[in-house]
Amino acid sequence: MHLLHEEGGDIKIATLLSGDVNSEKEALAVETLGGKRGKLKTKDVWLKFEHAHPTKMLEEAQIIAQEIDLDFLWECAGSGEFHFLDLAKEYFGESSDVAQKTGLAIALQGAPIYFRRKGRGQFLRAPEDQLKAAIQAVERKKLELAKQEQWENDLRQGQLPEEIAPQVNALLFSPDKNTTAYKAVANASQGLKGGVAELFLKCGVLGSALAYHEGKFLKEHFPKGTGFQVQLQADEQAAWDAALEKLPVAEVEAFSIDDATTTEIDDAFSVTQIHDETLGTLFKVGVHIAAPALAIQRASELDAIARQRLSTVYYPGGKITMLPDHVIDIFSLHAANDVSKAKPLRPAVSLYVTLNADGVPIAEGPHAPITKVERIPMGANLRLDDLENLVTEEALSSEQNIKQLPYQQELALLWNSAQKLHARRQEQRVASGLRAEALGLPDPQALAKDFNFKVVDGVVEIAPRQRGSIMDSIVAEWMIFCNSTWGNQLAAHSVPGIYRTQKGWGPQRTRMQTMPGPHEGLGVENYAWCTSPLRRYVDLVNQWQLIAMAQNGVTAKLVAPFKPKDADLMAIAADFDGTYAAYGEHQNQMERYWCLQYLKQLGLPWRGIVRHLKDGQARVEPIPLRLTVPELADQARGARAEVEVLDIDPLALEASVRYLGLVDAVGSDVEDVEVAPAVIDGHVSVDEPKE
């Protein structure tokens, strides 16, 4: 005897081995047509029948099921609940055989839009209105599947369907996986290493791999675009000008030190000679920082923009500024283009530091560091590209260079004091258990850590930058001193601020926090970023606090924009860390992209020397590009080898590398370089040594 039953939504046949099919409580021992044995409850049996060839009969029933007219079958079924055997008599007649009954059961079970399953062979036909809606949905689905199949074929042939064109960005960066367009694109891109991006490249709708990487970043961090909707109105401009004109004018001549293409000039220096009756002739150094906080008010429209962006984004070939250009133009410390014209007065927050006879800042007494809010006459914008190689120890000490080298005496004094500041920081580093760092240019044999990227019309130039030159060291040491001094002043006045701290070891040892704290890596106490308010929101926030401190003294904490334990200040510190890291990761990705493009420019296959870092990771000597070379895994750090780059994948940012052999197996003392932020289109992070 054979039994017809339902299992997992399908109609199946089993052969009875033992058991009473008439007993409701007894479990029957059965064997499937595939030979598998098991148990079947009597109540789950739909039909009992005898047949010499049940497998053949089931095949015949499946053919019958396909031939049944479901619309006519629905008409035959009454409005009430029915058993499939009763409907078989109506449809096939009283003499219906087992194959026809089984075929009908299969048809009913497989047509849920026509018939509702009620269990144990019982069914109920669907209401007419619901049936019509379901049939229409099925037809729409068929059309969607046909359209999807056509789109897939077009895409595989490198043709983009018109309907998909407006959805390209969404399909790349934030797809709705339930849409027909996504399903077509996903299926067509199967087997492509670069996925959807590679498919769109082949279709010609994605201009380049660079467009993909940039688009992905912009979609996540700038979904509304990189432009600014805010414009400075004439009355606002007049109000700003009036407020800034009330500031006192400093009796100094300031000059800045930046790359040739720097547009956000945050900092400048001045050196003036003063006389003290007891100490004699002294020199006062002014560190002047652009002061956008004088005009941008907390909770204003401009503040909301800066708060959202948190930082300027730098990458080879471009940047996305934190503030609109018209604001940067007002506050950037630009000098006049024509030296014959009057020196422009720029608003600034200034730190004045008096040096003793040895060039060391005086920390206490009447000559202790003081902060002022004022306007400074900008005398010049010195450019590293023009002067960095000319400014040497000999040039600074030679009287013959006074006229040839601008601000020679000022630079000489700043360089002397920078050396003293550096030495003092190294003492603190050693006290914290770290090794002292040397001042000056690195060993020529060492891997360069800093690079200039210049991209013009898709062609990239990459050149090492002289981190540690005299000009570079002057700016770096004085910015560190300025940030530390202002951090100390904020802490001493109990004015809240955001501090950049580093202590101990571990992944979270360097972080932003609202409590004062040391930066062991730099060898300073209470380090607060304050020197880049045009391009970092944390610096803008700290500048608001510094201005309140400079103008109100001991009562500053009562009038400063951010009060003690301000929850918003804590949120800014937390948000900044994550955003700044994301921007840095994008910069690293873009640098890697352009490094790979640089090798492609030179011609593939490219042969060159790499230096082993660790675990089979090596760095190309001329440029900041890491490659995976498994053959070097057992070699010493610093081991040099020749490799051949056969091909590059600009989407995955990977290179196919062939190892050619060792050049020098004796490793040198090479740091595991996480390449420091590059100098990109005028952005020089001289106040941010690698932490």
Side-chain angles (χ1 to χ4, degrees), residues 132-144:
K132 290 180 179 179
I135 291 175
Q136 290 175 357
V138 170
E139 290 301 318
R140 285 196 301 270
K141 184 66 175 177
K142 289 180 180 179
L143 292 175
E144 288 293 322

Side-chain angles (χ1 to χ4, degrees), residues 238-373:
W240 282 18
D241 292 341
L244 297 177
E245 285 177 3
K246 294 179 181 179
L247 296 174
V249 178
E251 296 181 359
V252 301
E253 181 180 322
F255 60 94
S256 66
I257 302 174
D258 294 280
D259 261 14
T261 53
T262 298
T263 58
E264 300 158 286
I265 301 179
D266 288 296
D267 51 82
F269 299 96
S270 67
V271 178
T272 53
Q273 183 176 311
I274 62 175
H275 181 77
D276 183 275
E277 293 182 358
T278 303
L279 301 176
T281 300
L282 300 172
F283 289 94
K284 180 178 288 187
V285 173
V287 182
H288 311 284
I289 305 301
L294 288 169
I296 300 174
Q297 302 299 315
R298 184 184 176 189
S300 66
E301 190 174 7
L302 278 173
D303 174 42
I305 292 171
R307 172 69 174 85
Q308 183 180 30
R309 298 194 175 199
L310 291 171
S311 171
T312 291
V313 184
Y314 295 94
Y315 54 91
K319 65 180 176 181
I320 305 169
T321 59
M322 181 181 76
L323 295 172
D325 288 343
H326 64 267
V327 176
I328 294 172
D329 291 342
I330 293 173
F331 293 99
S332 182
L333 303 181
H334 285 288
N337 292 327
D338 188 344
V339 294
S340 65
K341 293 184 178 180
K343 297 177 177 62
L345 300 177
R346 304 297 187 190
V349 178
S350 302
L351 177 69
Y352 287 100
V353 182
T354 303
L355 305 179
N356 64 19
D358 295 326
V360 176
I362 299 174
E364 299 177 348
H367 295 298
I370 185 172
T371 300
K372 293 184 178 181
V373 182

Side-chain angles (χ1 to χ4, degrees), residues 78-106:
S79 59
E81 189 174 318
F82 62 89
H83 193 273
F84 82 100
L85 292 177
D86 296 330
L87 185 58
K89 294 177 183 178
E90 292 287 335
Y91 191 82
F92 293 107
E94 291 289 340
S95 61
S96 57
D97 58 24
V98 173
Q100 291 173 326
K101 294 175 181 176
T102 303
L104 184 67
I106 295 173

Side-chain angles (χ1 to χ4, degrees), residues 272-517:
T272 53
Q273 183 176 311
I274 62 175
H275 181 77
D276 183 275
E277 293 182 358
T278 303
L279 301 176
T281 300
L282 300 172
F283 289 94
K284 180 178 288 187
V285 173
V287 182
H288 311 284
I289 305 301
L294 288 169
I296 300 174
Q297 302 299 315
R298 184 184 176 189
S300 66
E301 190 174 7
L302 278 173
D303 174 42
I305 292 171
R307 172 69 174 85
Q308 183 180 30
R309 298 194 175 199
L310 291 171
S311 171
T312 291
V313 184
Y314 295 94
Y315 54 91
K319 65 180 176 181
I320 305 169
T321 59
M322 181 181 76
L323 295 172
D325 288 343
H326 64 267
V327 176
I328 294 172
D329 291 342
I330 293 173
F331 293 99
S332 182
L333 303 181
H334 285 288
N337 292 327
D338 188 344
V339 294
S340 65
K341 293 184 178 180
K343 297 177 177 62
L345 300 177
R346 304 297 187 190
V349 178
S350 302
L351 177 69
Y352 287 100
V353 182
T354 303
L355 305 179
N356 64 19
D358 295 326
V360 176
I362 299 174
E364 299 177 348
H367 295 298
I370 185 172
T371 300
K372 293 184 178 181
V373 182
E374 58 191 2
R375 287 180 293 163
I376 58 168
M378 282 301 302
N381 298 129
L382 304 186
R383 300 300 185 176
L384 290 169
D385 308 60
D386 301 327
L387 299 174
E388 192 164 34
N389 293 327
L390 300 178
V391 178
T392 62
E393 293 272 6
E394 294 76 17
L396 291 178
S397 60
S398 173
E399 294 183 1
Q400 298 178 353
N401 287 324
I402 291 179
K403 293 183 178 180
Q404 299 176 356
L405 194 62
Y407 298 95
Q408 183 214 35
Q409 294 180 327
E410 289 86 347
L411 291 173
L413 185 139
L414 290 170
W415 169 234
N416 177 58
S417 59
Q419 295 176 79
K420 304 298 174 58
L421 294 174
H422 179 269
R424 188 165 64 180
R425 289 198 304 109
Q426 301 320 302
E427 292 175 2
Q428 190 59 47
R429 275 179 57 88
V430 172
S432 299
L434 303 173
R435 66 180 181 180
E437 296 175 329
L439 184 64
L441 295 173
D443 182 349
Q445 300 301 318
L447 283 175
K449 297 182 184 179
D450 300 278
F451 293 83
N452 290 302
F453 283 73
K454 185 178 181 181
V455 180
V456 179
D457 296 330
V459 178
V460 62
E461 296 178 10
I462 306 175
R465 175 175 175 264
Q466 290 187 11
R467 178 74 90 171
S469 68
I470 288 178
M471 297 276 278
D472 178 85
S473 297
I474 287 173
V475 179
E477 290 301 329
W478 274 103
M479 292 305 108
I480 292 171
F481 177 80
C482 188
N483 285 328
S484 178
T485 300
W486 272 335
N488 290 334
Q489 289 183 357
L490 288 174
H493 286 78
S494 299
V495 176
I498 299 178
Y499 296 85
R500 182 76 167 175
T501 66
Q502 185 185 92
K503 189 172 183 179
W505 300 97
Q508 298 297 321
R509 71 185 187 118
T510 305
R511 61 183 181 273
M512 309 301 294
Q513 62 183 46
T514 57
M515 295 296 293

Side-chain angles (χ1 to χ4, degrees), residues 89-130:
K89 294 177 183 178
E90 292 287 335
Y91 191 82
F92 293 107
E94 291 289 340
S95 61
S96 57
D97 58 24
V98 173
Q100 291 173 326
K101 294 175 181 176
T102 303
L104 184 67
I106 295 173
L108 291 169
Q109 188 74 3
I113 66 172
Y114 284 87
F115 301 98
R116 305 286 186 263
R117 301 170 185 172
K118 295 298 182 178
R120 299 186 185 183
Q122 295 288 125
F123 293 89
L124 177 67
R125 77 175 189 178
E128 185 175 3
D129 56 341
Q130 294 182 16

